[in-house]
Amino acid sequence: MIAMMSWLSAESLPFVWFTLIGCLLTGYLILDGFDLGVGVLHLFVPKDETERRLSVNSIGPLWDGNEVWLVTFGGALFAMFPYAYATAFPAFYTAFILLLFALIFRAVSMEFRGKMHSKLGRRMWDIGFGIGSFLAAFLFGVAGGNVVSGLQLNERGDYTGSLMDQLSPYPLACGLLIVLLFTLHGAIFLYMKLTGDYQQRIANTAKVSWVLFAIIYAVVTVWTLATVPRATENFADVPALWLIPIFNVVMITLTGWMVWRRIAFAAFLCNSGSIASMVILLAAALFPNLINATDPAMDLRIVDAASSTRTLTIGLIVVGIGLPFVLIYTTIIYWTFRGKTRLESHSY
Amino acid sequence: MELFAALDTVLLSRLQFALTIMFHYLFPPLTIGLGVVLVYLGLRYVMTGDRLFRDAQKFWTKIYALNFAMGVSTGIVMEFEFGTNWSVYSEFVGDVFGSALAAEGIFAFFLESGFLAVLVFGWDRVGPKMHLFSTMMVSLGSIFSAVWIVAANSWQQTPAGHHIVPVYRRGEPWVVDGELMMRAEITDFWAMVFNPTTVIRLTHTLTGAFIVGGSLVASVGAWYLLKNRHIEFARRSLNGGLIVMTIGAFTAAATGHLQAKITYAYQPAKMAAYEGHFETGPGHLTVFGIPDVKNETVRYDLSIPRAYSFLLKEDLNAEIIGLDRFAPEDRPPIWIPFVTYRVMVGIGTYLIVLSIVAVVFRLRNKLYTHRPLLFLFVITVFLSLIANHGGWVACEVGRQPWIVHPPLEWTGGEPGVGDVVVDETGVVQYDETQGLRTTDAVSKAISGEQVLGSLIGFGLIYGLLFIVWITVLHQKIQKGPDISEDADTSSASVEDLLNISSSRVSHSKHMIEPNGGSGA
């Protein structure tokens, strides 16, 4: 296997890993995106206990595996780009601790809500599930917005700004963008898993989500073009990169079209394509950096953040062996739990 | 605000790490231990067709799923904290330690989380064989997870397969404030994974987990026998749990002994802290005592003379290195390792005695009715968990002040055999560049205020989770297994088929009830 990879030079390995990290992030956002979205919708759409159980159980067997993409993304970032890990995590200290609280609440809410005998108890965990999901999605967007617009870093790579600096309007708008993107994703997913009256209402929710998402997407795009010049530098140098936002807009339009025509699976695929193109947009905006600093001299470049050539190679072998298995059993699991959600004796 | 400015980020981060990992560590031993139980039950069901095994597996799966959800959600915290609170450590070890963590994600987490779905929700969707396969994969995943985490932890204790090199930035060695930045880089992946202590540490850790699983099953069985419920299920549970506990208790003693020897070879200061062995010389085995750190002695010492020398070196007169060979700033804290180590060993001894007594009673057919003994089994699961925690806390606090422990040099070259190499004042010298002190490992960009806030947040949330976890666990155990009416029949009769179909009817009735069904 080492010989097979000899075409990879020491210089190109960090960029191969930049791409792979992007793939892990894409996998995470597409998969956990819909179950976080189902969580956000949980606050508004289900009317009674049966509908709430249907919602929770439609993601019941899947959310856990989805979240592993985040854990693996984190592990890979730690291993392959330790300096990015060590820069971003303390910088987003408060945000990430809140993210952890949100993820913990969300996870245990699903497990605990069904065990509550009182209505109040169940409602409490329902709200925990919804707010946890909302907060997680929102914080991902805020962090992404800050990484693009630039963090205040010193020459050691330590964050010198304050929490309020991270909550400026642009990252907040990015947070809202991700919340609405996931809400749309979750609504499309639920449409596939549900039947009857609940499904009909979800169809309307999906339409509303799409409209709101399209508006915020337009707003954030204009905002980025107008106020974040660093994000578009690469596009000026390599005009072919404009194909990415064009592809993204096509995907968003197609998603909307499918949502109105109620072709749920195609809508899900198109929205996944839209999520993937947003990650590529993020990568194109950052390249050759991993984290933008407000002072460009302090930018954390991909090559400088990377681990040693040996570790990057070992990581590639690990992924080469592991990822095919992951994809095989992810497929098996999704196939096993295909079709409409049914409530069974061992459901949540 | 001034109060917050004075807060020590290192101390608070250590407290936070201790809190979050101790809470998390309740769950991995439970899931690793119970996973094997689930595999056993699934295997027996597929082999014999005895419905009792399937009912038992369903019951334990519900408890497994609860613990798994707690374990996963509190486990992500650990990964995040390496970055948020210990970023200097992350920079120093990322190249080495990160690979193990990433391998855990790819090889272990996907496996267990994916197949967990089939284990928990797949009863009606896949056949018994596929279900058994999924159960095995979940159990295997949790064991893989332990392999990578223990390998990563062991590397911090006995680093191998790496070298320490300068870090480069934009093609130049990276110097900040006149200080050259260094990091550990892998030179040999397998030497890193199988560093000197990985195998023995892993064996001991997994044994501890199996004991927890076995004692949980035995404890629930004993509880039902005391309450006179689910008798057949309870007897089998107690029996099976007892077998696992008995084998586990003896294995734990044996692997614990080997681990003590290897700890002495690589981290003699830690071993001295365990034993309160202040002065280099023949070692006594302290059964009980109160360490007096100021006067460097153990008060009210109840000890077996020279037994410690004998255990470590098979020689009653062997000289054992004491804390006096270490500079004050290189000594671990004494109290916590001393106490927690004794808790672990004490409970281990109790487990051996209990197992022997119980096996004798079992052979005389008196176990299932002996109420005091049954009561002991009920509480033993808590003791097993405490022993796991005790051992682990002793191990982690005992390696302080190092987060990455620098290697020691021994006369004669082989660790633990000759004597440690000391300077002219008789004090062990560490090569600071090879290790990392915990105090140096903390993130620079965080404030004490932030860490205090998060620590309080974790305290509140984990407190709440603990209460709910115990409540739900108690509910599930109170409710007990759903035993099929046709349990223990090997050949299906007409009545059995009728039973099955009637249970299907009642089953589908549950499906439309909100929150209905047996296990919701």
Side-chain angles (χ1 to χ4, degrees):
Chain A
M1 187 161 298
I2 305 246
M4 208 175 78
M5 283 187 292
S6 59
W7 57 271
L8 288 169
S9 62
E11 287 72 35
S12 65
L13 269 170
F15 301 104
V16 172
W17 264 105
F18 181 65
T19 313
L20 280 171
I21 292 270
C23 292
L24 286 170
L25 183 63
T26 309
Y28 173 69
L29 296 176
I30 289 176
L31 294 175
D32 213 30
F34 73 74
D35 66 53
L36 286 168
V38 169
V40 176
L41 292 167
H42 203 70
L43 290 170
F44 311 105
V45 192
K47 276 196 314 200
D48 55 30
E49 177 61 17
T50 310
E51 290 190 357
R52 289 195 192 98
R53 284 193 73 207
L54 280 166
S55 283
V56 173
N57 282 293
S58 64
I59 59 167
L62 308 172
W63 72 268
D64 191 14
N66 296 343
E67 211 165 281
V68 175
W69 287 82
L70 177 67
V71 178
T72 307
F73 169 76
L77 192 69
F78 187 4
M80 305 309 154
F81 298 104
Y83 290 89
Y85 196 74
T87 301
F89 278 59
F92 293 120
Y93 191 89
T94 305
F96 281 4
I97 297 290
L98 280 176
L99 174 67
L100 286 174
F101 292 167
L103 291 175
I104 293 173
F105 251 95
R106 203 180 107 74
V108 296
S109 293
M110 281 183 275
E111 181 64 33
F112 287 153
R113 68 172 302 288
K115 276 94 194 177
M116 294 293 127
H117 296 306
S118 70
K119 208 168 182 174
L120 183 75
R122 275 203 295 270
R123 274 316 272 161
M124 204 184 78
W125 288 112
D126 278 327
I127 292 169
F129 176 49
I131 295 195
S133 306
F134 172 87
L135 198 60
F138 184 69
L139 291 170
F140 284 128
V142 172
N146 276 300
V147 167
V148 172
S149 60
L151 287 168
Q152 296 165 36
L153 302 178
N154 65 18
E155 64 157 345
R156 214 194 161 284
D158 289 328
Y159 181 64
T160 56
S162 73
L163 178 62
M164 288 319 288
D165 293 326
Q166 295 170 12
L167 297 176
S168 61
Y170 177 74
L172 293 180
C174 293
L176 200 58
L177 176 82
I178 298 297
V179 169
L180 287 165
L181 173 67
F182 285 179
T183 308
L184 170 64
H185 207 44
I188 298 170
F189 177 78
L190 274 183
Y191 185 84
M192 291 194 285
K193 301 300 277 184
L194 298 173
T195 53
D197 172 54
Y198 190 22
Q199 191 192 29
Q200 298 312 306
R201 273 186 292 126
I202 279 290
N204 291 326
T205 312
K207 288 180 194 169
V208 176
S209 310
W210 184 88
V211 172
L212 293 176
F213 168 70
I215 292 170
I216 189 86
Y217 182 84
V219 170
V220 170
T221 305
V222 173
W223 202 333
T224 310
L225 290 172
T227 66
V228 194
R230 302 200 59 192
T232 47
E233 275 169 18
N234 288 329
F235 292 80
D237 296 342
V238 187
L241 289 176
W242 285 107
L243 288 173
I244 309 164
I246 292 171
F247 177 75
N248 198 355
V249 170
V250 169
M251 281 296 142
I252 292 170
T253 315
L254 278 175
T255 306
W257 195 49
M258 299 300 168
V259 164
W260 258 265
R261 293 201 51 197
R262 298 199 177 189
I263 310 171
F265 189 64
F268 189 80
L269 288 184
C270 290
N271 207 42
S272 302
S274 159
I275 292 173
S277 42
M278 273 184 241
V279 176
I280 303 171
L281 266 177
L282 176 70
L286 285 175
F287 192 90
N289 297 332
L290 208 49
I291 296 173
N292 280 343
T294 41
D295 174 2
M298 304 298 162
D299 285 344
L300 186 60
R301 301 191 310 161
I302 295 165
V303 284
D304 290 334
S307 278
S308 64
T309 304
R310 187 179 292 267
T311 292
L312 296 172
T313 313
I314 292 167
L316 223 47
I317 297 171
V318 166
V319 165
I321 299 170
L323 203 61
F325 282 103
V326 170
L327 295 176
I328 289 169
Y329 39 72
T330 303
T331 313
I332 294 176
I333 308 310
Y334 273 79
W335 178 253
T336 305
F337 294 97
R338 70 193 180 281
K340 299 294 180 188
T341 303
R342 292 174 306 197
L343 296 182
E344 294 159 343
S345 60
H346 37 259
S347 299
Y348 279 127
Chain B
M1 278 299 157
E2 266 181 37
L3 171 74
F4 289 131
L7 289 172
D8 180 355
T9 49
V10 179
L11 179 67
L12 289 169
S13 294
R14 288 182 68 178
L15 284 174
Q16 180 170 313
F17 200 79
L19 168 77
T20 50
I21 203 158
M22 283 178 77
F23 190 66
H24 171 65
Y25 196 56
L26 285 171
F27 309 107
L30 278 168
T31 45
I32 292 171
L34 260 187
V36 178
V37 174
L38 293 179
V39 170
Y40 168 79
L41 293 169
L43 202 61
R44 287 298 299 270
Y45 173 68
V46 168
M47 276 160 46
T48 63
D50 183 345
R51 286 288 293 255
L52 195 65
F53 288 114
R54 192 164 173 84
D55 298 331
Q57 201 196 355
K58 280 190 179 175
F59 170 72
W60 289 115
T61 298
K62 284 176 200 160
I63 289 173
Y64 185 92
L66 172 70
N67 290 324
F68 191 90
M70 297 286 291
V72 169
S73 46
T74 55
I76 291 190
V77 174
M78 315 319 312
E79 190 193 46
F80 270 58
E81 278 177 344
F82 293 137
T84 51
N85 294 66
W86 304 100
S87 68
V88 177
Y89 158 82
S90 298
E91 289 172 352
F92 186 71
V93 304
D95 198 276
V96 181
F97 187 93
S99 330
L101 213 63
E104 186 195 20
I106 285 273
F107 291 135
F109 287 156
F110 276 113
L111 196 64
E112 54 181 338
S113 305
F115 284 103
L116 181 79
V118 183
L119 171 61
V120 177
F121 299 98
W123 297 99
D124 303 332
R125 288 179 184 255
V126 298
K129 282 184 183 153
M130 176 63 192
H131 195 267
L132 173 63
F133 176 75
S134 306
T135 313
M136 287 172 165
M137 290 303 113
V138 172
S139 173
L140 199 64
S142 66
I143 290 171
F144 278 174
S145 188
V147 171
W148 291 110
I149 283 301
V150 171
N153 179 282
S154 296
W155 180 83
Q156 290 170 251
Q157 314 256 2
T158 53
H162 73 292
H163 58 177
I164 309 287
V165 289
V167 182
Y168 280 74
R169 273 286 181 283
R170 299 175 196 227
E172 304 277 320
W174 190 26
V175 179
V176 182
D177 299 335
E179 192 193 341
L180 182 62
M181 298 304 211
M182 309 287 277
R183 73 172 175 189
E185 283 185 4
I186 286 192
T187 51
D188 182 341
F189 180 72
W190 294 114
M192 182 276 285
V193 173
F194 293 106
N195 63 71
T197 54
T198 302
V199 174
I200 189 65
R201 207 183 289 276
L202 180 66
T203 323
H204 195 59
T205 308
L206 286 178
T207 309
F210 296 147
I211 292 175
V212 168
S215 51
L216 175 65
V217 173
S219 149
V220 171
W223 173 253
Y224 289 152
L225 286 172
L226 282 172
K227 297 272 158 183
N228 210 13
R229 284 157 50 191
H230 316 296
I231 299 300
E232 182 56 25
F233 173 83
R235 287 183 172 186
R236 290 200 198 181
S237 301
L238 181 55
N239 219 28
L242 176 60
I243 294 170
V244 176
M245 278 170 68
T246 310
I247 300 170
F250 283 96
T251 315
T255 52
H257 172 65
L258 293 175
Q259 201 179 331
K261 288 182 90 163
I262 207 159
T263 301
Y264 179 71
Y266 288 91
Q267 299 168 300
K270 179 198 277 191
M271 209 55 223
Y274 287 168
E275 289 299 337
H277 187 60
F278 287 95
E279 207 177 315
T280 303
H284 311 310
L285 192 70
T286 305
V287 179
F288 177 81
I290 295 174
D292 180 348
V293 180
K294 211 174 126 207
N295 295 313
E296 307 203 343
T297 183
V298 178
R299 287 168 183 271
Y300 312 109
D301 184 13
L302 173 68
S303 62
I304 308 165
R306 316 246 163 165
Y308 179 42
S309 287
F310 183 76
L311 281 173
L312 285 183
K313 297 200 163 178
E314 288 95 31
D315 172 5
L316 286 172
N317 298 315
E319 188 178 74
I320 304 298
I321 293 155
L323 289 160
D324 54 355
R325 289 281 165 83
F326 299 90
E329 69 273 16
D330 294 336
R331 288 185 197 178
I334 311 297
W335 263 99
I336 297 177
F338 184 86
V339 173
T340 49
Y341 188 73
R342 258 151 207 77
V343 166
M344 173 188 73
V345 175
I347 294 175
T349 313
Y350 158 83
L351 285 172
I352 290 178
V353 174
L354 178 72
S355 305
I356 295 172
V357 172
V359 168
V360 171
F361 274 74
R362 173 70 188 86
L363 293 175
R364 293 183 178 173
N365 249 334
K366 286 179 183 162
L367 177 62
Y368 302 139
T369 49
H370 195 285
R371 294 187 72 85
L373 205 50
L374 290 177
F375 179 74
L376 277 184
F377 271 100
V378 172
I379 60 167
T380 294
V381 61
F382 302 108
L383 295 175
S384 302
L385 275 170
I386 291 169
N388 267 264
H389 273 74
W392 178 80
V393 168
C395 180
E396 296 307 295
V397 177
R399 73 169 143 129
Q400 301 301 329
W402 306 99
I403 198 165
V404 177
H405 198 283
L408 272 78
E409 225 179 293
W410 292 76
T411 54
E414 198 181 333
V417 175
D419 203 354
V420 279
V421 174
V422 293
D423 69 352
E424 61 277 6
T425 58
V427 171
V428 172
Q429 297 298 297
Y430 287 102
D431 179 0
E432 299 261 347
T433 59
Q434 296 291 314
L436 181 66
R437 284 179 189 269
T438 309
T439 43
D440 296 332
V442 82
S443 304
K444 299 271 193 290
I446 56 173
S447 67
E449 195 182 347
Q450 279 177 309
V451 186
L452 182 68
S454 59
L455 178 59
I456 293 171
F458 277 117
L460 292 174
I461 287 182
Y462 281 10
L464 173 73
L465 289 186
F466 186 75
I467 293 167
V468 180
W469 174 65
I470 289 287
T471 312
V472 174
L473 200 61
H474 183 250
Q475 275 175 19
K476 281 175 189 282
I477 293 171
Q478 278 297 345
K479 196 173 165 298
D482 292 318
I483 305 290
S484 331
E485 291 133 38
D486 57 339
D488 213 0
T489 47
S490 40
S491 60
S493 64
V494 178
E495 278 156 86
D496 292 332
L497 291 172
L498 283 173
N499 274 339
I500 292 166
S501 60
S502 70
S503 76
R504 284 227 179 98
V505 171
S506 62
H507 184 81
S508 55
K509 207 164 69 190
H510 286 315
M511 286 159 59
I512 47 172
E513 279 170 20
N515 194 35
S518 44

